[in-house]
Amino acid sequence: MAKLACLVSFFFLVLSLLGLSQAISSCREPCQTLKNCKGQLICINGQCNDDPDVGTRICSTDSDNGADGEKFRCEAFGRLHCKGKSFPQFKCSPRVTSSTRAILTNNDFSKGGDGGDPSECDGKFHHNSQPIVALSTGWYNGGSRCGKKIRITARNGRSVLAKVVDECDTINGCDKAHAHQPPCRNNIVDGSNGVWHALGLDINVGEEPVVWSDA
């Protein structure tokens, strides 16, 4: 009888383990195969997480720390090779908060300028004295911010309201449409001369850390 009881216990243990291995897991829960994770989640290092190739943000909550204490991770899904170099490609950007950290770069939105083709939002070129910006693909968000204002604040305390007119493409580049420039990084606010002047920054520096938010 003792042996039979042990066999029965072992049988139920095996069944429970099989059930766990076939369970559909949510964010951060353990997994073994791609089929273990819900929806568009993917099994990474034994945990269900956002799929970097798809750019999902189901599990991600913040660019620093989310409510669950986990760090937001926006990882490159591929690399574009051009000009003898390799550039990471992103479908996502850090989560937008009331003070989203970014790198301010300089762009000429006029015809023949740095941007190549006309602005993505309206198909037009713009005078570079206007306070306008292009946002990295994740922040551009399919054009949902087109024509809207964002507030940009520099380390010197000065701020400016700038209109979103274009996308700083983090996937494509090195072609005529992008003025043969490589893909943008995923944390870029590409500002006109008007933005730089309003913030009292030296355009020749090329890059400046800033914070921004939806206005």
Side-chain angles (χ1 to χ4, degrees):
M1 286 296 293
K3 288 184 178 180
L4 179 61
C6 288
L7 287 173
V8 171
S9 299
F10 179 76
F11 177 76
F12 281 110
L13 176 61
V14 170
L15 285 180
S16 63
L17 289 174
L18 287 173
L20 284 173
S21 67
Q22 296 174 354
I24 304 299
S25 300
S26 299
C27 292
R28 317 298 183 197
E29 292 182 354
C31 59
Q32 294 179 359
T33 69
L34 298 179
K35 294 181 180 179
N36 290 152
C37 298
K38 286 184 178 179
Q40 291 182 306
L41 299 180
I42 189 171
C43 190
I44 302 176
N45 296 327
Q47 281 190 332
C48 290
N49 215 320
D50 292 316
D51 187 344
D53 289 345
V54 178
T56 53
R57 304 185 192 179
I58 301 166
C59 302
S60 307
T61 55
D62 201 311
S63 57
D64 290 318
N65 289 304
D68 60 356
E70 296 289 339
K71 286 184 178 293
F72 175 88
R73 287 178 293 181
C74 176
E75 299 177 355
F77 72 92
R79 301 191 75 85
L80 183 65
H81 301 275
C82 66
K83 298 183 178 181
K85 296 182 180 180
S86 177
F87 300 92
Q89 297 169 292
F90 294 91
K91 295 179 181 178
C92 54
S93 293
R95 180 175 177 263
V96 176
T97 67
S98 58
S99 56
T100 309
R101 287 180 291 184
I103 299 297
L104 178 68
T105 54
N106 181 239
N107 184 49
D108 185 351
F109 293 86
S110 61
K111 190 172 184 178
D114 302 329
D117 282 354
S119 296
E120 189 74 24
C121 289
D122 55 12
K124 298 178 180 179
F125 292 105
H126 297 267
H127 198 284
N128 221 30
S129 63
Q130 299 174 341
I132 51 180
V133 296
L135 296 178
S136 290
T137 297
W139 291 337
Y140 181 73
N141 196 28
S144 66
R145 288 189 168 86
C146 277
K148 296 181 180 179
K149 299 287 184 69
I150 65 170
R151 181 176 295 279
I152 307 167
T153 304
R155 289 183 297 178
N156 59 16
R158 295 177 65 167
S159 64
V160 62
L161 287 176
K163 184 169 75 171
V164 178
V165 299
D166 206 354
E167 173 187 10
C168 197
D169 199 331
T170 62
I171 301 174
N172 307 294
C174 300
D175 53 12
K176 182 178 180 296
H178 298 86
H180 301 285
Q181 296 189 57
C184 273
R185 285 163 286 169
N186 69 338
N187 63 340
I188 296 297
V189 173
D190 206 15
S192 62
N193 287 359
V195 169
W196 281 74
H197 292 323
L199 293 174
L201 299 175
D202 182 1
I203 292 175
N204 294 319
V205 172
E207 296 185 355
E208 282 281 354
V210 295
V211 296
W212 72 275
S213 63
D214 292 307

